[in-house]
Amino acid sequence: MRPRVTIVLGLQWGDEGKGKILDVMASEADWVLRAQGGNNAGHTVEIGGEKFVLHLVPSGILRAKVSCLIAGGAVVDPAGLVREIEGLARRKIRTQGRLFLAEQAHLVLPQHRAVDQGSEKKRGLAKIGTTGRGIGPAYSDKATRVGLRAGEMALPAAELARRLRERVMAHNRVAGSQGWEKISATKTVREIEKAARFLRPYLADGVTLAHRAVAGGKRILIEGAQGTFLDVDHGTYPFVTSSHCTAGGACTGTGVRILIEGAQGTFLDVDHGTYPFVTSSHCTAGGACTGTGVPPTAIQRVVGVLKAYTTRVGGGPFVTEDGTLGHLLHGMGREFGSTTGRARRCGWFDAVLVRRAVQLNGVTEMAITNLDGLDGLEKIPVCVGYRFERKILQEPPVESSDWARCRPVYRVFEGWCEPTTEARHWKELPRRARIYLSAISQLVGATIGIISVGAGREQTFRHG
Ligand code: GDP
Ligand code: IMO
Ligand code: MG
Protein backbone atom coordinates (compact mmCIF):
# COMPACT_ATOMS: atom_id res chain seq x y z
CA MET A 1 0.00 0.00 0.00
CA ARG A 2 1.25 3.51 -0.80
CA PRO A 3 2.28 5.58 2.24
CA ARG A 4 -0.41 8.04 3.33
CA VAL A 5 1.74 10.68 5.02
CA THR A 6 4.97 11.79 3.36
CA ILE A 7 7.40 14.57 4.15
CA VAL A 8 9.13 16.13 1.15
CA LEU A 9 12.10 18.31 2.03
CA GLY A 10 15.45 19.60 0.79
CA LEU A 11 18.74 17.83 1.56
CA GLN A 12 21.11 20.66 0.62
CA TRP A 13 20.87 24.47 0.87
CA GLY A 14 17.41 24.95 -0.63
CA ASP A 15 16.32 25.19 -4.26
CA GLU A 16 16.78 21.46 -4.77
CA GLY A 17 13.64 21.26 -6.93
CA LYS A 18 11.14 20.60 -4.12
CA GLY A 19 8.37 22.51 -5.95
CA LYS A 20 8.71 20.39 -9.05
CA ILE A 21 8.85 17.09 -7.15
CA LEU A 22 5.88 18.06 -4.96
CA ASP A 23 3.83 18.97 -8.00
CA VAL A 24 4.62 15.60 -9.57
CA MET A 25 3.85 13.70 -6.36
CA ALA A 26 0.67 15.74 -5.81
CA SER A 27 -0.96 13.87 -8.71
CA GLU A 28 -1.48 11.13 -6.12
CA ALA A 29 -2.23 13.33 -3.09
CA ASP A 30 -5.28 14.81 -1.39
CA TRP A 31 -3.50 17.39 0.73
CA VAL A 32 -0.26 19.38 0.64
CA LEU A 33 0.68 21.05 3.93
CA ARG A 34 3.40 23.69 3.92
CA ALA A 35 5.23 23.23 7.22
CA GLN A 36 7.55 26.18 7.81
CA GLY A 37 9.38 29.17 6.33
CA GLY A 38 7.76 32.14 4.66
CA ASN A 39 7.98 33.93 1.35
CA ASN A 40 11.75 33.56 1.45
CA ALA A 41 10.97 30.32 -0.39
CA GLY A 42 10.51 30.14 -4.15
CA HIS A 43 9.20 26.80 -5.39
CA THR A 44 9.10 26.47 -9.16
CA VAL A 45 6.66 24.31 -11.07
CA GLU A 46 6.71 24.13 -14.87
CA ILE A 47 3.71 22.76 -16.71
CA GLY A 48 3.74 22.65 -20.50
CA GLY A 49 6.34 25.41 -20.63
CA GLU A 50 4.33 27.64 -18.27
CA LYS A 51 6.25 28.58 -15.16
CA PHE A 52 4.77 29.14 -11.68
CA VAL A 53 6.87 30.28 -8.73
CA LEU A 54 5.15 29.67 -5.39
CA HIS A 55 6.35 31.40 -2.25
CA LEU A 56 3.82 30.61 0.47
CA VAL A 57 1.08 28.71 -1.32
CA PRO A 58 1.81 24.95 -1.26
CA SER A 59 3.01 23.40 -4.50
CA GLY A 60 -0.10 21.18 -4.70
CA ILE A 61 -2.24 24.16 -5.70
CA LEU A 62 -1.69 23.47 -9.41
CA ARG A 63 -3.54 20.15 -9.09
CA ALA A 64 -7.24 20.99 -9.03
CA LYS A 65 -8.26 18.15 -6.70
CA VAL A 66 -5.64 18.84 -4.05
CA SER A 67 -6.37 20.87 -0.90
CA CYS A 68 -3.58 23.00 0.54
CA LEU A 69 -2.76 24.29 4.00
CA ILE A 70 -0.21 26.89 5.02
CA ALA A 71 0.43 25.39 8.43
CA GLY A 72 1.12 27.00 11.79
CA GLY A 73 4.89 26.60 11.54
CA ALA A 74 5.03 29.01 8.61
CA VAL A 75 5.39 32.79 8.92
CA VAL A 76 3.06 34.69 6.65
CA ASP A 77 3.43 38.13 5.13
CA PRO A 78 -0.29 38.95 4.66
CA ALA A 79 0.14 41.39 1.79
CA GLY A 80 2.61 39.00 0.10
CA LEU A 81 0.14 36.14 0.37
CA VAL A 82 -2.66 38.26 -1.10
CA ARG A 83 -0.44 39.15 -4.07
CA GLU A 84 0.38 35.50 -4.58
CA ILE A 85 -3.26 34.40 -4.47
CA GLU A 86 -4.27 37.20 -6.85
CA GLY A 87 -1.44 36.22 -9.20
CA LEU A 88 -2.72 32.64 -9.25
CA ALA A 89 -6.30 33.83 -9.86
CA ARG A 90 -5.13 35.82 -12.90
CA ARG A 91 -3.77 32.53 -14.22
CA LYS A 92 -7.09 30.77 -13.55
CA ILE A 93 -5.88 28.85 -10.50
CA ARG A 94 -8.75 28.71 -8.04
CA THR A 95 -7.83 28.86 -4.36
CA GLN A 96 -11.20 29.45 -2.65
CA GLY A 97 -12.32 26.44 -0.68
CA ARG A 98 -9.08 24.55 -1.27
CA LEU A 99 -6.40 26.79 0.22
CA PHE A 100 -6.36 27.28 3.99
CA LEU A 101 -4.22 29.48 6.20
CA ALA A 102 -3.63 28.16 9.71
CA GLU A 103 -4.72 30.59 12.41
CA GLN A 104 -1.63 29.41 14.30
CA ALA A 105 0.84 30.81 11.74
CA HIS A 106 2.74 33.92 12.79
CA LEU A 107 2.57 37.13 10.78
CA VAL A 108 5.44 38.88 9.07
CA LEU A 109 4.86 42.62 9.54
CA PRO A 110 6.44 45.56 7.66
CA GLN A 111 8.68 46.19 10.68
CA HIS A 112 10.14 42.67 10.34
CA ARG A 113 11.22 43.46 6.81
CA ALA A 114 12.76 46.73 8.07
CA VAL A 115 14.73 44.89 10.77
CA ASP A 116 15.88 42.19 8.33
CA GLN A 117 17.05 44.69 5.72
CA GLY A 118 18.52 47.16 8.24
CA SER A 119 20.48 44.44 10.03
CA GLU A 120 21.86 43.10 6.77
CA LYS A 121 22.99 46.58 5.78
CA LYS A 122 24.78 46.96 9.09
CA ARG A 123 26.61 43.65 8.63
CA GLY A 124 28.09 45.03 5.41
CA LEU A 125 30.19 42.57 3.44
CA ALA A 126 29.74 39.97 6.14
CA LYS A 127 25.98 39.92 5.65
CA ILE A 128 24.07 36.64 5.79
CA GLY A 129 22.54 37.30 2.40
CA THR A 130 18.96 36.92 3.59
CA THR A 131 16.08 37.31 1.20
CA GLY A 132 15.11 40.50 3.04
CA ARG A 133 11.56 39.22 3.56
CA GLY A 134 11.58 39.70 7.34
CA ILE A 135 11.69 35.99 8.11
CA GLY A 136 14.30 36.00 10.90
CA PRO A 137 12.72 38.91 12.81
CA ALA A 138 9.24 37.34 12.54
CA TYR A 139 10.50 34.03 13.97
CA SER A 140 12.41 36.02 16.56
CA ASP A 141 9.17 37.70 17.75
CA LYS A 142 7.53 34.28 17.85
CA ALA A 143 10.33 32.90 20.05
CA THR A 144 10.29 35.92 22.35
CA ARG A 145 6.49 35.64 22.56
CA VAL A 146 5.53 39.00 21.17
CA GLY A 147 4.41 37.91 17.70
CA LEU A 148 0.99 38.30 16.12
CA ARG A 149 -0.73 35.28 14.63
CA ALA A 150 -2.85 34.84 11.53
CA GLY A 151 -5.92 34.15 13.69
CA GLU A 152 -5.68 37.70 15.02
CA MET A 153 -6.60 38.94 11.56
CA ALA A 154 -10.16 37.88 12.42
CA LEU A 155 -10.37 40.24 15.40
CA PRO A 156 -12.61 43.32 15.26
CA ALA A 157 -10.77 46.01 13.26
CA ALA A 158 -10.23 48.29 16.25
CA GLU A 159 -8.58 45.55 18.31
CA LEU A 160 -6.37 44.39 15.44
CA ALA A 161 -5.34 48.02 14.87
CA ARG A 162 -4.53 48.43 18.57
CA ARG A 163 -2.31 45.34 18.58
CA LEU A 164 -0.54 46.44 15.41
CA ARG A 165 0.08 49.97 16.70
CA GLU A 166 1.54 48.53 19.90
CA ARG A 167 4.04 46.45 17.88
CA VAL A 168 4.98 49.37 15.65
CA MET A 169 5.56 51.65 18.65
CA ALA A 170 7.80 49.04 20.29
CA HIS A 171 9.76 48.82 17.05
CA ASN A 172 10.08 52.57 16.59
CA ARG A 173 11.34 53.06 20.15
CA VAL A 174 14.54 51.12 19.35
CA ALA A 175 14.74 51.50 15.57
CA GLY A 176 16.97 54.57 15.53
CA SER A 177 19.62 53.11 17.81
CA GLN A 178 19.67 49.84 15.83
CA GLY A 179 19.87 51.38 12.37
CA TRP A 180 16.44 50.11 11.36
CA GLU A 181 13.97 52.13 9.39
CA LYS A 182 11.08 53.53 11.44
CA ILE A 183 7.66 52.30 10.44
CA SER A 184 4.40 54.17 10.01
CA ALA A 185 1.70 52.74 12.27
CA THR A 186 -1.04 54.11 10.01
CA LYS A 187 0.44 52.44 6.93
CA THR A 188 0.91 49.16 8.80
CA VAL A 189 -2.68 49.14 10.01
CA ARG A 190 -3.93 49.97 6.52
CA GLU A 191 -1.81 47.24 4.88
CA ILE A 192 -2.66 44.49 7.35
CA GLU A 193 -6.36 45.36 7.63
CA LYS A 194 -6.74 45.27 3.86
CA ALA A 195 -4.96 41.92 3.65
CA ALA A 196 -6.94 40.61 6.63
CA ARG A 197 -10.27 41.36 4.91
CA PHE A 198 -9.07 39.37 1.90
CA LEU A 199 -7.58 36.48 3.87
CA ARG A 200 -10.31 35.92 6.50
CA PRO A 201 -12.18 33.33 4.37
CA TYR A 202 -8.97 31.31 4.14
CA LEU A 203 -8.39 31.11 7.91
CA ALA A 204 -8.82 27.74 9.61
CA ASP A 205 -7.61 25.79 12.61
CA GLY A 206 -4.59 24.22 10.90
CA VAL A 207 -4.06 21.45 13.43
CA THR A 208 -7.66 20.24 13.27
CA LEU A 209 -7.58 20.25 9.47
CA ALA A 210 -4.34 18.29 9.40
CA HIS A 211 -5.60 15.77 11.95
CA ARG A 212 -8.89 15.23 10.14
CA ALA A 213 -6.94 14.54 6.97
CA VAL A 214 -4.68 12.04 8.77
CA ALA A 215 -7.60 10.34 10.53
CA GLY A 216 -9.57 10.21 7.28
CA GLY A 217 -6.75 8.27 5.61
CA LYS A 218 -6.08 11.08 3.13
CA ARG A 219 -2.85 11.03 1.15
CA ILE A 220 -0.82 13.88 2.60
CA LEU A 221 2.39 15.53 1.47
CA ILE A 222 4.14 17.79 3.97
CA GLU A 223 6.10 20.40 2.05
CA GLY A 224 9.38 21.57 3.54
CA ALA A 225 10.87 24.91 2.56
CA GLN A 226 14.56 25.86 2.42
CA GLY A 227 16.90 22.91 3.02
CA THR A 228 18.64 20.85 5.69
CA PHE A 229 21.77 23.04 5.93
CA LEU A 230 19.70 26.20 6.30
CA ASP A 231 17.97 24.71 9.37
CA VAL A 232 18.44 26.93 12.41
CA ASP A 233 19.73 23.95 14.43
CA HIS A 234 21.42 21.78 11.84
CA GLY A 235 22.54 24.35 9.31
CA THR A 236 25.75 26.34 9.08
CA TYR A 237 25.33 28.21 12.37
CA PRO A 238 28.81 28.55 13.88
CA PHE A 239 29.87 28.77 17.50
CA VAL A 240 32.35 31.53 16.80
CA THR A 241 30.71 34.79 15.86
CA SER A 242 31.95 38.23 15.01
CA SER A 243 31.99 39.11 18.69
CA HIS A 244 35.18 37.06 18.96
CA CYS A 245 36.82 39.41 16.52
CA THR A 246 40.05 40.58 18.16
CA ALA A 247 41.85 43.84 17.60
CA GLY A 248 44.50 41.99 15.61
CA GLY A 249 41.85 40.38 13.50
CA ALA A 250 40.40 43.73 12.51
CA CYS A 251 37.45 43.94 10.25
CA THR A 252 39.07 45.08 7.07
CA GLY A 253 37.31 47.14 4.49
CA THR A 254 37.37 44.19 2.13
CA GLY A 255 35.21 41.97 4.29
CA VAL A 256 35.30 40.62 7.77
CA ARG A 257 38.48 38.71 8.47
CA ILE A 258 38.20 36.99 11.76
CA LEU A 259 40.93 35.39 13.81
CA ILE A 260 40.07 32.12 15.40
CA GLU A 261 42.32 30.47 17.91
CA GLY A 262 43.49 27.18 16.43
CA ALA A 263 44.10 23.90 18.20
CA GLN A 264 47.83 24.49 18.55
CA GLY A 265 47.46 28.03 19.82
CA THR A 266 48.13 29.44 16.40
CA PHE A 267 45.79 31.96 14.81
CA LEU A 268 43.98 30.95 11.73
CA ASP A 269 42.52 33.42 9.36
CA VAL A 270 39.03 32.67 8.13
CA ASP A 271 37.18 34.77 5.62
CA HIS A 272 33.52 35.13 6.38
CA GLY A 273 31.99 31.78 7.29
CA THR A 274 31.44 32.85 10.87
CA TYR A 275 27.97 34.39 10.81
CA PRO A 276 24.87 32.29 11.27
CA PHE A 277 24.31 31.51 7.63
CA VAL A 278 20.98 29.83 8.14
CA THR A 279 17.32 30.69 7.99
CA SER A 280 15.27 30.91 11.20
CA SER A 281 13.07 27.83 11.02
CA HIS A 282 13.47 24.07 11.24
CA CYS A 283 13.76 22.79 7.69
CA THR A 284 14.45 19.20 8.75
CA ALA A 285 11.93 16.39 9.24
CA GLY A 286 11.24 17.30 12.88
CA GLY A 287 10.19 20.77 11.73
CA ALA A 288 7.64 19.19 9.40
CA CYS A 289 5.93 17.64 12.43
CA THR A 290 6.03 20.64 14.76
CA GLY A 291 5.12 22.96 11.90
CA THR A 292 1.98 21.05 10.96
CA GLY A 293 1.05 19.37 14.24
CA VAL A 294 1.15 15.99 12.48
CA PRO A 295 2.87 13.65 14.96
CA PRO A 296 6.07 11.75 14.04
CA THR A 297 4.20 8.44 14.43
CA ALA A 298 1.95 9.38 11.49
CA ILE A 299 4.86 9.83 9.07
CA GLN A 300 5.46 6.86 6.79
CA ARG A 301 7.85 8.21 4.19
CA VAL A 302 10.46 10.97 3.95
CA VAL A 303 11.44 12.00 0.43
CA GLY A 304 14.68 13.97 0.36
CA VAL A 305 15.02 16.20 -2.67
CA LEU A 306 18.51 17.03 -3.92
CA LYS A 307 20.30 18.23 -7.01
CA ALA A 308 22.83 16.05 -8.83
CA TYR A 309 25.28 18.83 -7.91
CA THR A 310 25.10 21.53 -5.20
CA THR A 311 23.93 25.14 -5.08
CA ARG A 312 23.64 27.78 -2.40
CA VAL A 313 22.26 31.34 -2.37
CA GLY A 314 23.59 33.88 0.12
CA GLY A 315 26.70 33.71 2.28
CA GLY A 316 28.29 30.87 4.21
CA PRO A 317 30.76 28.05 3.81
CA PHE A 318 30.47 25.81 0.76
CA VAL A 319 33.21 23.19 0.54
CA THR A 320 32.64 22.01 -3.04
CA GLU A 321 31.99 25.46 -4.56
CA ASP A 322 33.41 25.69 -8.05
CA GLY A 323 33.37 28.89 -10.06
CA THR A 324 33.85 27.11 -13.37
CA LEU A 325 30.79 24.93 -12.83
CA GLY A 326 28.83 28.03 -11.78
CA HIS A 327 29.93 29.85 -14.93
CA LEU A 328 28.84 26.92 -17.04
CA LEU A 329 25.42 26.54 -15.40
CA HIS A 330 24.72 30.29 -15.41
CA GLY A 331 25.72 30.34 -19.08
CA MET A 332 22.98 27.76 -19.68
CA GLY A 333 20.53 30.22 -18.09
CA ARG A 334 20.05 28.14 -14.96
CA GLU A 335 20.71 28.58 -11.25
CA PHE A 336 19.27 32.02 -10.68
CA GLY A 337 17.24 32.35 -7.46
CA SER A 338 13.45 31.98 -7.81
CA THR A 339 12.75 34.57 -5.10
CA THR A 340 15.47 37.19 -5.43
CA GLY A 341 16.91 36.47 -8.91
CA ARG A 342 20.42 36.26 -7.43
CA ALA A 343 22.88 33.97 -9.20
CA ARG A 344 23.22 30.83 -7.10
CA ARG A 345 26.67 29.69 -6.06
CA CYS A 346 27.39 26.30 -7.60
CA GLY A 347 29.58 23.33 -6.73
CA TRP A 348 30.03 19.61 -7.09
CA PHE A 349 27.92 17.01 -5.35
CA ASP A 350 28.89 16.76 -1.70
CA ALA A 351 28.31 13.25 -0.36
CA VAL A 352 29.58 14.23 3.11
CA LEU A 353 26.77 16.76 3.49
CA VAL A 354 24.00 14.71 1.94
CA ARG A 355 24.93 11.67 4.05
CA ARG A 356 24.41 13.83 7.14
CA ALA A 357 21.12 15.13 5.72
CA VAL A 358 19.93 11.56 5.11
CA GLN A 359 20.63 10.74 8.77
CA LEU A 360 19.04 13.91 10.15
CA ASN A 361 15.82 13.50 8.22
CA GLY A 362 15.41 9.73 8.24
CA VAL A 363 15.19 9.82 4.46
CA THR A 364 13.42 6.76 3.07
CA GLU A 365 14.02 7.70 -0.57
CA MET A 366 15.64 10.45 -2.58
CA ALA A 367 14.40 12.50 -5.53
CA ILE A 368 17.42 13.59 -7.57
CA THR A 369 16.83 16.59 -9.81
CA ASN A 370 18.79 18.51 -12.41
CA LEU A 371 20.73 15.50 -13.62
CA ASP A 372 20.64 17.17 -17.05
CA GLY A 373 22.77 20.03 -15.68
CA LEU A 374 25.76 17.69 -15.86
CA ASP A 375 25.04 16.42 -19.39
CA GLY A 376 27.88 18.21 -21.15
CA LEU A 377 30.70 17.44 -18.74
CA GLU A 378 33.56 15.05 -19.45
CA LYS A 379 34.59 14.65 -15.82
CA ILE A 380 32.33 14.93 -12.78
CA PRO A 381 33.93 15.15 -9.31
CA VAL A 382 31.99 14.01 -6.25
CA CYS A 383 33.17 15.00 -2.79
CA VAL A 384 33.63 11.85 -0.70
CA GLY A 385 35.46 13.33 2.30
CA TYR A 386 36.76 16.58 3.79
CA ARG A 387 40.49 17.09 4.29
CA PHE A 388 40.84 19.03 7.55
CA GLU A 389 43.93 19.46 9.70
CA ARG A 390 45.67 16.46 8.09
CA LYS A 391 42.67 14.21 8.65
CA ILE A 392 40.05 13.00 6.19
CA LEU A 393 36.61 13.57 7.69
CA GLN A 394 33.54 11.58 6.76
CA GLU A 395 31.27 13.98 8.67
CA PRO A 396 31.16 17.77 8.47
CA PRO A 397 32.99 19.43 11.40
CA VAL A 398 30.66 20.43 14.21
CA GLU A 399 31.88 24.05 14.04
CA SER A 400 30.69 25.29 10.67
CA SER A 401 33.29 28.06 10.45
CA ASP A 402 35.80 25.19 10.17
CA TRP A 403 34.07 24.21 6.95
CA ALA A 404 35.81 27.11 5.27
CA ARG A 405 39.09 25.35 6.00
CA CYS A 406 38.02 21.94 4.74
CA ARG A 407 39.20 20.89 1.32
CA PRO A 408 37.11 18.45 -0.69
CA VAL A 409 38.45 14.99 -1.45
CA TYR A 410 37.06 14.12 -4.84
CA ARG A 411 36.32 10.91 -6.61
CA VAL A 412 36.06 11.74 -10.30
CA PHE A 413 33.43 10.09 -12.48
CA GLU A 414 33.40 9.89 -16.27
CA GLY A 415 30.74 12.17 -17.75
CA TRP A 416 28.15 10.80 -20.18
CA CYS A 417 28.36 13.74 -22.61
CA GLU A 418 24.89 13.23 -24.09
CA PRO A 419 21.47 14.68 -23.24
CA THR A 420 19.40 12.97 -20.57
CA THR A 421 16.39 15.28 -20.98
CA GLU A 422 14.41 12.79 -23.09
CA ALA A 423 14.92 9.85 -20.74
CA ARG A 424 11.71 8.56 -19.13
CA HIS A 425 13.03 5.36 -17.67
CA TRP A 426 16.14 4.33 -15.74
CA LYS A 427 17.24 2.14 -18.65
CA GLU A 428 17.04 5.12 -21.02
CA LEU A 429 19.75 6.98 -19.10
CA PRO A 430 23.30 6.78 -20.42
CA ARG A 431 25.27 4.01 -18.69
CA ARG A 432 27.67 6.51 -17.10
CA ALA A 433 24.78 8.54 -15.69
CA ARG A 434 23.43 5.37 -14.07
CA ILE A 435 26.88 4.66 -12.62
CA TYR A 436 27.03 8.22 -11.26
CA LEU A 437 23.58 8.03 -9.65
CA SER A 438 24.14 4.58 -8.19
CA ALA A 439 27.44 5.73 -6.67
CA ILE A 440 25.75 8.76 -5.08
CA SER A 441 23.05 6.53 -3.62
CA GLN A 442 25.67 4.23 -2.14
CA LEU A 443 27.81 7.08 -0.79
CA VAL A 444 24.96 8.79 1.04
CA GLY A 445 23.19 5.63 2.17
CA ALA A 446 19.74 6.18 0.68
CA THR A 447 17.87 4.71 -2.26
CA ILE A 448 16.79 6.75 -5.27
CA GLY A 449 13.03 6.94 -5.76
CA ILE A 450 12.62 9.68 -8.37
CA ILE A 451 14.88 11.11 -11.08
CA SER A 452 14.31 14.45 -12.76
CA VAL A 453 15.95 15.39 -16.06
CA GLY A 454 14.28 18.72 -16.81
CA ALA A 455 12.04 21.35 -15.28
CA GLY A 456 8.85 19.99 -16.89
CA ARG A 457 6.40 17.72 -15.12
CA GLU A 458 6.89 15.01 -17.70
CA GLN A 459 10.68 15.00 -17.34
CA THR A 460 10.45 12.83 -14.25
CA PHE A 461 10.42 9.10 -13.63
CA ARG A 462 10.68 6.57 -10.86
CA HIS A 463 13.86 4.58 -10.44
CA GLY A 464 13.79 0.99 -11.62
P1 GDP B 1 12.79 24.61 -4.73
O1 GDP B 1 12.92 25.86 -3.95
O2 GDP B 1 13.44 23.44 -4.06
O3 GDP B 1 11.38 24.31 -5.13
O4 GDP B 1 13.62 24.83 -6.07
P2 GDP B 1 13.55 26.13 -7.02
O5 GDP B 1 12.28 26.12 -7.75
O6 GDP B 1 13.92 27.34 -6.26
O7 GDP B 1 14.79 25.85 -7.96
C1 GDP B 1 14.90 24.69 -8.71
C2 GDP B 1 15.06 25.08 -10.19
O8 GDP B 1 15.40 23.93 -10.92
C3 GDP B 1 13.78 25.61 -10.80
O9 GDP B 1 14.11 26.55 -11.79
C4 GDP B 1 13.15 24.37 -11.43
O10 GDP B 1 12.29 24.68 -12.52
C5 GDP B 1 14.39 23.68 -11.91
N1 GDP B 1 14.34 22.22 -12.00
C6 GDP B 1 13.85 21.32 -11.12
N2 GDP B 1 14.19 20.08 -11.52
C7 GDP B 1 14.89 20.21 -12.66
C8 GDP B 1 15.55 19.30 -13.53
O11 GDP B 1 15.57 18.09 -13.32
N3 GDP B 1 16.20 19.84 -14.61
C9 GDP B 1 16.21 21.17 -14.88
N4 GDP B 1 16.83 21.59 -15.96
N5 GDP B 1 15.61 22.05 -14.07
C10 GDP B 1 14.98 21.57 -12.98
P1 IMO C 1 13.46 27.38 -0.99
O1 IMO C 1 12.28 26.90 -0.17
C1 IMO C 1 17.54 28.86 -0.96
C2 IMO C 1 18.65 31.49 2.34
C3 IMO C 1 18.96 32.94 2.01
C4 IMO C 1 20.02 33.22 3.07
C5 IMO C 1 19.50 32.45 4.27
C6 IMO C 1 18.71 33.29 5.26
O2 IMO C 1 13.09 28.04 -2.25
O3 IMO C 1 14.45 26.28 -1.15
P2 IMO C 1 16.23 34.28 5.18
O4 IMO C 1 15.59 35.24 4.22
O5 IMO C 1 15.55 32.95 5.24
O6 IMO C 1 16.45 34.85 6.53
O7 IMO C 1 17.72 34.03 4.57
O8 IMO C 1 18.67 31.42 3.76
N1 IMO C 1 17.34 31.01 1.88
C7 IMO C 1 17.16 30.19 0.85
N2 IMO C 1 18.04 29.69 -0.04
N3 IMO C 1 16.24 28.51 -1.03
C8 IMO C 1 15.36 28.97 -0.14
O9 IMO C 1 14.08 28.54 -0.07
C9 IMO C 1 15.79 29.89 0.85
N4 IMO C 1 15.18 30.57 1.84
C10 IMO C 1 16.14 31.23 2.49
O10 IMO C 1 19.46 33.08 0.71
O11 IMO C 1 21.23 32.66 2.69
MG1 MG D 1 13.61 27.81 -4.22
Side-chain angles (χ1 to χ4, degrees):
M1 200 180 81
R2 281 213 169 266
R4 311 304 281 185
V5 188
T6 302
I7 298 173
V8 182
L9 46 65
L11 297 187
Q12 294 157 322
W13 273 296
D15 302 331
E16 296 91 346
K18 298 177 292 295
K20 177 197 157 151
I21 297 299
L22 276 148
D23 167 70
V24 169
M25 293 181 70
S27 70
E28 293 181 353
D30 302 302
W31 279 89
V32 179
L33 322 179
R34 167 72 184 275
Q36 37 68 234
N39 58 0
N40 49 349
H43 296 174
T44 314
V45 179
E46 276 195 42
I47 306 167
E50 203 185 340
K51 185 167 159 177
F52 296 84
V53 181
L54 299 156
H55 299 286
L56 274 162
V57 175
S59 302
I61 203 73
L62 303 169
R63 302 272 184 186
K65 291 190 183 141
V66 174
S67 299
C68 294
L69 169 69
I70 303 168
V75 287
V76 176
D77 176 337
L81 179 56
V82 171
R83 280 195 299 276
E84 194 171 334
I85 293 173
E86 285 178 340
L88 287 168
R90 278 195 295 279
R91 299 172 76 176
K92 310 269 178 282
I93 309 295
R94 188 180 57 81
T95 52
Q96 289 89 349
R98 52 186 289 259
L99 171 66
F100 302 91
L101 168 59
E103 288 161 9
Q104 293 91 340
H106 276 251
L107 296 184
V108 180
L109 303 176
Q111 65 201 62
H112 294 134
R113 291 193 296 272
V115 173
D116 191 0
Q117 291 161 17
S119 306
E120 279 286 87
K121 219 168 167 183
K122 221 162 110 182
R123 289 184 193 112
L125 282 171
K127 66 185 179 193
I128 296 169
T130 72
T131 57
R133 301 291 195 271
I135 304 304
Y139 275 115
S140 172
D141 274 4
K142 169 175 168 169
T144 51
R145 298 164 292 184
V146 293
L148 283 181
R149 305 217 275 178
E152 287 168 84
M153 292 196 294
L155 288 170
E159 176 57 17
L160 176 59
R162 190 191 66 75
R163 293 184 188 192
L164 286 167
R165 283 179 194 284
E166 193 182 272
R167 296 320 191 276
V168 175
M169 270 152 45
H171 168 84
N172 285 346
R173 271 198 294 277
V174 294
S177 64
Q178 297 293 326
W180 303 328
E181 197 187 313
K182 283 197 175 180
I183 293 294
S184 152
T186 312
K187 273 197 199 151
T188 297
V189 171
R190 205 181 305 137
E191 175 181 316
I192 305 297
E193 269 185 353
K194 186 169 170 221
R197 274 196 299 279
F198 184 99
L199 292 174
R200 260 176 223 140
Y202 292 91
L203 287 174
D205 170 356
V207 174
T208 300
L209 272 190
H211 278 259
R212 277 200 194 129
V214 173
K218 302 290 182 201
R219 298 163 302 175
I220 300 167
L221 300 176
I222 302 184
E223 172 171 3
Q226 289 76 54
T228 299
F229 296 101
L230 288 171
D231 183 288
V232 67
D233 275 322
H234 299 292
T236 38
Y237 195 135
F239 304 148
V240 182
T241 67
S242 57
S243 61
H244 290 68
C245 211
T246 59
C251 300
T252 68
T254 54
V256 171
R257 296 179 73 81
I258 295 163
L259 293 182
I260 300 170
E261 199 164 354
Q264 284 83 35
T266 54
F267 283 89
L268 299 162
D269 195 345
V270 177
D271 281 332
H272 308 285
T274 50
Y275 270 90
F277 293 109
V278 292
T279 190
S280 298
S281 65
H282 292 101
C283 324
T284 37
C289 293
T290 47
T292 54
V294 173
T297 46
I299 309 295
Q300 288 144 340
R301 178 169 58 161
V302 180
V303 175
V305 186
L306 65 160
K307 278 181 176 142
Y309 47 94
T310 314
T311 63
R312 168 163 213 179
V313 206
F318 184 170
V319 176
T320 62
E321 186 166 17
D322 185 287
T324 311
L325 178 64
H327 192 67
L328 186 94
L329 294 167
H330 296 146
M332 289 157 75
R334 50 205 292 167
E335 301 312 343
F336 293 93
S338 328
T339 298
T340 58
R342 290 177 289 178
R344 296 180 183 136
R345 299 159 63 195
C346 301
W348 303 111
F349 187 82
D350 187 338
V352 176
L353 274 195
V354 175
R355 191 160 51 231
R356 170 52 54 87
V358 165
Q359 296 163 348
L360 282 171
N361 295 298
V363 168
T364 57
E365 66 182 81
M366 299 188 293
I368 301 194
T369 70
N370 285 277
L371 182 67
D372 54 303
L374 301 175
D375 281 354
L377 296 169
E378 283 177 8
K379 301 278 178 203
I380 309 176
V382 167
C383 175
V384 295
Y386 287 177
R387 193 182 303 279
F388 179 67
E389 292 177 345
R390 298 208 206 114
K391 288 196 218 87
I392 305 288
L393 307 181
Q394 295 302 318
E395 275 90 33
V398 61
E399 165 55 292
S400 69
S401 59
D402 286 340
W403 295 23
R405 293 156 56 218
C406 289
R407 295 289 163 261
V409 177
Y410 285 127
R411 186 163 141 200
V412 180
F413 289 79
E414 295 296 322
W416 42 93
C417 297
E418 56 178 296
T420 54
T421 47
E422 300 300 320
R424 297 295 177 267
H425 195 279
W426 176 252
K427 289 200 186 109
E428 288 171 17
L429 285 175
R431 192 177 64 86
R432 286 175 174 172
R434 281 184 271 139
I435 292 172
Y436 180 75
L437 291 174
S438 302
I440 281 180
S441 165
Q442 209 182 13
L443 283 165
V444 305
T447 56
I448 300 171
I450 299 172
I451 295 155
S452 167
V453 291
R457 252 182 193 173
E458 68 293 350
Q459 292 173 297
T460 327
F461 51 90
R462 287 203 67 83
H463 180 266

